[in-house]
Amino acid sequence: MTSQQQLLARFSEPVPRYTSYPTAPHFHDGVDPTTARQWIAALGAGQTLSLYVHVPYCDRLCWFCACHTKHTLKYEPVAAYLESLKCEIETMGQMVSPEVVVTGLHWGGGSPTMLKPEDMHRLMGWLRAAFTFAEDAEISVEMDPNDLDEARYDALAEIGVTRASLGVQDFDPKVQKTINRLQTFEQTAEVIAAMRKRGVRSVNCDLLYGLPYQTLDTMAKTVADIISLKPDRIALFGYAHVPWMKKHQALIPEDALPDAEERFRQMSLAAEMLAEAGYESIGIDHFALAGDTLAKAARTGRLRRNFQGYTDESADALIGLGASSISQLPEGFWQNMPATGEYRRMVESGDLAVVRGVALQPEDRARAFVIERIMCAYGFSACELKARFDAGTDEIIAEAQAYARENPEVCDYDRFGFRLKNEAFPFARSVAAVFDTYLGRGKGRHSAAV
């Protein structure tokens, strides 16, 4: 058994993805609209803001999906939801100082490309009227090739999209049928060509390993096909099978899912192929061409992690708009009401839809820094930790030193700080969990670490 196989057997327990700390299962109703208003009021001149807009509708339901979304074949619910979203945008815009500049905007879902072209224009118009945008603000949109046509391509270009993000998952027909995600290579290539023709400077593609009936051969074929399209970024996620949380995942036959060792082989094969094609490894599951801003951020220590995963976005705050969206401000996190009907009632009354969150304590901030550094750079500097934070740093350093002494095959601790060994990089989530004092307190269940 190789050293990595031994680590795989050891780090088999499910752990959080660490897109925040504390993680979402530890949010509580002690953070409410009043709290959110106070945190927003603290944002001022010179600070920057990233916006996330959630469109929780799809015209087909992919059975692998763990997002907050719902299936609809009618456009009326989407149109009604947009009017409610307009109310929230206007309310939030009145609270955020015009001196706070938006440097990034992301439309996610669901399927934002379900929107009619005229509604894409309306939504962007509402956002620009409510907030101050930087001239070079990055605007990214998640795209479903099955939704797109010439009018939508044109609308996306006209509203200023700078990054197209496409879910691909796997091109094998049997895998696609089993996860209810039919999407050909030709469709995907057409979207990328259409957006590049309209001046979009960056393209991201999402791939999944660990899917039902997926094999090393299907993985290799999909990765080779994606490489041929030369996307600037590729996200390689492990399928998270969480049917207790997402009931539609029960439609996926569990006996068709690869085991942990096969998942690891699929991930490793894809990573090797991407490296050979010139993609740089970014954290545990992203890859980017050398000229991409994500690769540059990783090389210069500016890589960050938020609810969209790895990012080069350095805004002081992230505000989520729409049902279930999560916001991150210097003081803490909050989440909007997930149920669309209740969300609509709340925002149409002129209030915020905040239902839960968590205020950061001094030690939380230090541990959040350590966990993010492990996820982004596979280690942290003890000097930087102590320079940045007052509370909890001695305890964290002692924990890191003890863990390194007890696990020399995983990491080192020296005068520069804590650092994972190369063969342990894929298990960064599990190592980060060592510093999570909330883990085990609640009832949250998580997906496989690899």
Side-chain angles (χ1 to χ4, degrees):
M1 183 180 288
T2 67
S3 59
Q4 278 206 324
Q5 286 176 320
Q6 291 174 335
L7 291 174
L8 177 63
R10 177 177 168 186
F11 292 127
S12 59
E13 291 297 314
V15 291
R17 292 184 63 239
Y18 291 115
T19 53
S20 74
Y21 182 81
T23 56
H26 303 286
F27 292 4
H28 55 78
D29 61 9
V31 172
D32 58 16
T34 299
T35 311
R37 288 177 182 273
Q38 293 170 348
W39 292 355
I40 294 167
L43 294 173
Q47 291 188 288
T48 54
L49 177 64
S50 179
L51 296 175
Y52 172 78
V53 178
H54 190 61
V55 180
Y57 292 95
C58 296
D59 47 17
R60 61 173 176 174
L61 187 60
C62 302
W63 295 342
F64 68 86
C65 183
C67 299
H68 283 287
T69 188
K70 58 177 61 179
H71 178 237
T72 180
L73 295 177
K74 297 180 179 179
Y75 195 72
E76 288 80 3
V78 181
Y81 174 81
L82 284 176
E83 293 302 319
S84 302
L85 189 56
K86 178 185 179 184
C87 294
E88 185 186 16
I89 291 169
E90 291 176 344
T91 299
M92 190 67 72
Q94 291 168 4
M95 289 186 286
V96 175
S97 167
E99 295 181 304
V100 177
V101 178
V102 174
T103 56
L105 168 65
H106 184 87
W107 289 6
S111 298
T113 46
M114 269 190 71
L115 299 183
K116 293 179 179 179
E118 59 268 30
D119 284 335
M120 293 181 182
H121 281 284
R122 291 172 67 217
L123 177 55
M124 184 57 75
W126 299 334
L127 291 163
R128 289 194 178 276
F131 301 97
T132 303
F133 276 72
E135 288 188 11
D136 60 348
E138 180 175 285
I139 299 172
S140 61
V141 176
E142 295 175 13
M143 300 181 184
D144 181 348
N146 291 279
D147 291 335
L148 289 163
D149 53 28
E150 290 298 314
R152 285 182 169 86
Y153 290 139
D154 289 340
L156 289 165
E158 289 160 4
I159 64 175
V161 170
T162 61
R163 173 167 291 113
S165 183
L166 287 78
V168 174
Q169 323 324 334
D170 190 293
F171 285 128
D172 183 78
K174 185 176 183 179
V175 174
Q176 289 189 353
K177 183 177 180 181
T178 308
I179 63 175
N180 199 39
R181 174 74 179 207
L182 302 179
Q183 177 180 319
T184 67
F185 170 80
E186 290 74 20
Q187 283 178 295
T188 306
E190 179 185 333
V191 174
I192 293 175
M195 296 312 298
R196 283 179 168 157
K197 177 182 176 182
R198 289 165 173 81
V200 171
R201 63 175 181 260
S202 182
V203 174
N204 172 79
C205 289
D206 292 347
L207 302 180
L208 284 179
Y209 64 88
L211 289 170
Y213 300 114
Q214 208 170 33
T215 67
L216 291 177
D217 287 342
T218 66
M219 188 86 250
K221 177 66 166 60
T222 292
V223 173
D225 285 345
I226 285 297
I227 288 172
S228 74
L229 299 176
K230 296 183 173 59
D232 304 87
R233 299 179 182 181
I234 296 172
L236 178 66
F237 299 123
Y239 165 57
H241 191 60
V242 289
W244 60 86
M245 183 172 69
K246 295 297 177 180
K247 302 301 182 186
H248 55 263
Q249 289 191 351
L251 296 167
I252 291 178
E254 293 196 1
D255 60 358
L257 294 172
D259 62 19
E261 287 196 14
E262 178 65 12
R263 283 172 62 99
F264 189 78
R265 283 192 287 267
Q266 291 174 5
M267 180 201 71
S268 300
L269 173 64
E272 290 170 7
M273 292 179 66
L274 291 169
E276 289 174 1
Y279 286 87
E280 297 183 11
S281 178
I282 311 293
I284 61 170
D285 53 20
H286 279 53
F287 299 81
L289 294 175
D292 187 82
T293 56
L294 199 66
K296 293 176 181 177
R299 289 196 298 270
T300 56
R302 296 181 293 103
L303 187 67
R304 302 292 306 278
R305 192 160 172 84
N306 63 21
F307 290 100
Q308 281 83 59
Y310 288 109
T311 180
D312 58 330
E313 174 63 62
S314 60
D316 298 298
L318 164 66
I319 290 181
L321 301 161
S324 81
S325 63
I326 295 177
S327 299
Q328 177 178 354
L329 277 81
E331 294 82 1
F333 305 94
W334 75 69
Q335 183 174 24
N336 277 359
M337 166 61 68
T340 53
E342 187 63 13
Y343 160 81
R344 293 188 59 205
R345 184 195 66 76
M346 295 172 76
V347 297
E348 287 175 11
S349 71
D351 203 353
L352 299 178
V354 178
V355 291
R356 65 185 193 129
V358 62
L360 293 174
Q361 302 304 311
E363 186 178 341
D364 293 338
R365 300 178 192 279
R367 290 185 178 274
F369 168 81
V370 164
I371 288 171
E372 184 181 53
R373 288 297 86 210
I374 291 173
M375 294 295 293
C376 291
Y378 306 114
F380 67 90
S381 161
C383 291
E384 185 178 3
L385 176 68
K386 291 185 75 68
R388 281 174 173 259
F389 306 99
D390 296 323
T393 58
D394 290 340
E395 182 179 356
I396 292 170
I397 289 171
E399 290 172 12
Q401 291 171 333
Y403 188 79
R405 283 196 304 271
E406 295 164 8
N407 301 275
E409 71 284 6
V410 176
C411 58
D412 292 311
Y413 190 97
D414 57 25
R415 63 191 180 91
F416 298 108
F418 181 84
R419 174 74 177 174
L420 271 67
K421 294 188 173 178
N422 289 1
E423 56 268 30
F425 283 3
F427 311 102
R429 280 172 62 181
S430 297
V431 178
V434 171
F435 300 93
D436 183 348
T437 60
Y438 290 83
L439 192 61
R441 290 192 206 174
K443 298 180 180 179
R445 298 173 68 181
H446 306 286
S447 61
V450 177

